[in-house]
Amino acid sequence: MLNELRAQLGPEKVLTDQDVRERYTHIWTMDQPLRAKAVLLPRTTADVSAALKICHAHQQPVVVHGGLTNLVGGTQTQGHEIVIALEKMNQIEEIDPQSRTMTVQAGVILENIHQKTEEADLLFPLSFGAKGSAQIGGIISANAGGLRVFRYGVTRHLVLGLEAVLADGTVINALKKIIKDNSAYDLKQLFIGSEGTLGIVTRAVLKLVEAPRSRTSAFVGLNDYNQVIAFLKFMDKGLAGTLSAFELIWKKTYHKMTTAGASTPPLPYDYQYYILLEVLGQDQEADQLRLYDLLEKALNEEIILDAVPAHTENDLVWFWKIREDVRVISASCTVDQHFDVSLPIPLIGDYAAKTVAKLEGMDGVNHCYTFGHVADGNIHFIVDKTNNSHELRLAINQVVYPPLQDMGGSVSAEHGIGEHKKAYLKLSRTEAEINLMRRMKQMMDPLGILNGGKVL
């Protein structure tokens, strides 16, 4: 099989032995060698198709690697798989300012997309902390969210067209630039969020928007979760659709973010909740004044207790570095365990308070740090624990996940299911839904070679 792959792809695109062991499965475990039969480095969709035809013929399991920032075990291997790494498929093929689209290969890094769209005076609004390493194919496969979902939606809302390769090598080309296409099933949606289990995303047409002319932000302090909701509604109404991000950071997390790293706190440690908001508009001076006016009104009406706006570009960088650099929390943990869940916005305050209290009362748990994109109902926990035992991991999971079922929540807001959350999928999806997913998987990948053991 390896000889067939070398003959078809070229020997330089097929890594084995020590070349495999020098790689890894996640950017946080770079000290642990990758276990796999081989790593394939395709440069084109034709390469991916040829590789999958050979793997399918040999019933060879495949794991897909992108930027390796996945947090649910989606890129893990057991050693018997072949890894298809898409890092060489890194071409931005076209920027079309008239249709406001960009056509990219799957291995393009998100930050490079931002740079190219900025040069064209456009914006691809999807953004999150791992933008410097995350690849668009993996982002699409996980249906990633991020900081601006409230205004622009998740990845699913920003993909107009898609190309993917099925398990047997068949290429599905749906690379359209149009927004409205009601010609039967929207096949690209099968691959967005399916974590590489139904096909390998190879190219995409991304939806762009006009670049904003202004960006303003502020940190706000509050002590009551009901006021958080009231402030969200107040600002969204007052800003008339220009509110692009509304991040909530709990007190302990804010303290850690501004003491463990190089950042200093914009507000004192006097409040239970800290909100970081972003406004994208068209007139810097006017938008700044409108933000100041709304913050003053919110203070006068006692919706909030304190606020500090970003006055300069340096302030913006300072504020958002605090929120985006969650590595300072992970680095401070003895062992860290991550969660991203979603639930109705009014229920977040009580759920988070009860969950943190239970977790921090457990043997083996040091601290629990809470933050999230509260405007879209998504919050994150980073649990600092004393060890990485399987028993402690499961016990922590049992605190976080089961309450979500009765609240109509989800065990995964944006990271996916991967290997780590398979047992809890039933809390978010009905038996009928999961059975339909299994039937789709069986139809599209009957041999089960694509990302086996992930999701289902």
Side-chain angles (χ1 to χ4, degrees):
M1 177 181 60
L2 292 178
N3 287 336
E4 288 181 42
L5 288 166
R6 292 186 185 100
Q8 185 66 46
L9 302 179
E12 73 283 358
K13 297 177 185 176
V14 182
L15 306 182
T16 58
D17 303 322
Q18 184 59 30
D19 290 332
V20 171
R21 291 188 289 273
E22 289 176 356
R23 300 173 70 93
Y24 42 87
T25 62
H26 197 279
I27 60 171
W28 290 354
T29 58
M30 295 170 66
D31 59 328
Q32 301 174 23
L34 172 63
R35 294 180 297 157
K37 286 183 180 179
V39 175
L40 309 184
L41 299 173
R43 291 183 177 272
T44 65
T45 300
D47 285 347
V48 177
S49 176
L52 283 178
K53 285 178 182 177
I54 293 170
C55 290
H56 189 265
H58 288 271
Q59 300 187 32
Q60 170 60 51
V62 169
V63 172
V64 188
H65 278 190
L68 302 178
T69 58
N70 180 273
L71 292 176
V72 292
T75 53
Q76 290 180 356
T77 61
Q78 305 301 318
H80 65 284
E81 307 95 338
I82 280 181
V83 169
I84 297 183
L86 301 176
E87 64 209 50
K88 301 297 184 182
M89 294 184 64
N90 57 7
Q91 298 301 306
I92 295 176
E93 297 181 353
E94 181 194 49
I95 297 179
D96 184 345
Q98 281 69 45
S99 65
R100 291 185 292 189
T101 62
M102 171 186 276
T103 304
V104 296
Q105 292 182 332
V108 177
I109 292 172
L110 180 57
E111 196 164 52
N112 293 340
I113 292 173
H114 290 166
Q115 291 170 355
K116 289 297 182 181
T117 52
E118 184 178 345
E119 291 171 8
D121 199 26
L122 293 165
L123 173 71
F124 183 61
L126 187 72
S127 185
F128 44 79
K131 60 182 178 289
S133 53
Q135 296 173 13
I136 193 65
I139 291 167
I140 292 170
S141 297
N143 188 32
L147 301 169
R148 293 170 176 160
V149 169
F150 175 67
R151 179 169 174 181
Y152 296 104
V154 294
T155 302
R156 189 180 303 282
H157 302 108
L158 298 168
V159 177
L160 296 180
L162 201 65
E163 180 185 78
V165 183
L166 303 184
D168 64 359
T170 300
V171 178
I172 303 296
N173 187 321
L175 287 169
K176 293 183 178 180
K177 296 180 180 181
I178 56 178
I179 295 174
K180 301 177 74 174
D181 182 3
N182 207 19
S183 55
Y185 305 143
D186 190 356
L187 295 178
K188 70 176 180 291
Q189 299 296 347
L190 289 173
F191 305 103
I192 302 174
S194 65
E195 302 182 51
T197 61
L198 302 181
I200 299 178
V201 173
T202 49
R203 296 159 71 208
V205 177
L206 306 178
K207 177 184 177 182
L208 309 179
V209 298
E210 296 297 328
R213 298 284 182 249
S214 71
R215 183 186 182 206
T216 57
S217 285
F219 256 110
V220 175
L222 310 93
N223 277 335
D224 185 273
Y225 183 75
N226 289 327
Q227 295 303 100
V228 172
I229 301 175
F231 183 58
L232 171 59
K233 291 174 63 65
F234 175 83
M235 294 301 289
D236 192 24
K237 183 176 182 179
L239 290 166
T242 59
L243 180 64
S244 56
F246 192 89
E247 299 292 300
L248 180 60
I249 306 172
W250 275 250
K251 182 177 182 177
K252 176 181 285 190
T253 311
Y254 176 78
H255 186 272
K256 179 62 69 173
M257 286 177 165
T258 54
T259 55
S263 295
T264 55
L267 288 174
Y269 303 121
D270 296 337
Y271 311 107
Q272 295 303 312
Y273 303 102
Y274 294 83
I275 291 168
L276 175 58
L277 59 87
E278 177 190 66
V279 182
L280 297 180
Q282 291 301 317
D283 187 318
Q284 185 69 36
E285 183 177 354
D287 292 338
Q288 196 99 12
L289 290 174
R290 180 166 58 168
L291 177 61
Y292 294 167
D293 182 59
L294 287 169
L295 291 175
E296 184 177 359
K297 288 180 179 178
L299 284 164
N300 291 336
E301 295 177 21
E302 298 183 348
I303 300 174
I304 62 176
L305 299 176
D306 202 353
V308 55
H311 297 288
T312 65
E313 182 67 27
N314 287 338
D315 287 347
L316 281 169
V317 173
W318 167 31
F319 285 11
W320 284 96
K321 185 177 186 299
I322 292 172
R323 168 58 186 88
E324 292 181 350
D325 193 9
V326 297
R327 291 173 299 177
V328 300
I329 297 178
S330 299
S332 72
C333 297
T334 304
V335 178
D336 54 313
Q337 185 171 340
H338 294 245
F339 295 88
D340 74 303
V341 301
S342 63
L343 64 159
I345 294 172
L347 306 181
I348 288 176
D350 185 58
Y351 165 76
K354 290 179 178 178
T355 301
V356 170
K358 289 179 181 178
L359 290 173
E360 293 190 336
M362 292 176 61
D363 290 337
V365 173
N366 299 320
H367 302 285
C368 180
Y369 300 100
T370 316
F371 59 98
H373 324 294
V374 71
D376 55 49
N378 172 199
I379 61 170
H380 299 267
F381 298 110
I382 298 180
V383 182
D384 175 12
K385 53 188 184 177
T386 59
N387 63 80
N388 201 28
S389 71
H390 181 64
E391 293 75 17
L392 180 57
R393 173 178 287 273
L394 291 182
I396 292 171
N397 287 348
Q398 282 302 118
V399 171
V400 175
Y401 291 139
L404 295 168
Q405 186 172 29
D406 291 338
M407 291 185 281
S410 173
V411 299
S412 179
E414 56 186 4
H415 292 166
I417 298 299
E419 291 192 6
H420 298 167
K421 298 185 182 181
K422 288 185 296 183
Y424 308 99
L425 183 59
K426 62 185 179 182
L427 300 176
S428 301
R429 298 292 189 137
T430 65
E431 183 178 353
E433 286 179 302
I434 294 174
N435 285 338
L436 180 57
M437 293 179 195
R438 292 188 185 282
R439 288 159 59 189
M440 291 170 60
K441 172 69 172 174
Q442 176 63 27
M443 177 190 69
M444 298 178 69
D445 181 18
L447 300 180
I449 68 169
L450 288 179
N451 276 13
K454 314 294 193 294
V455 182
L456 299 171

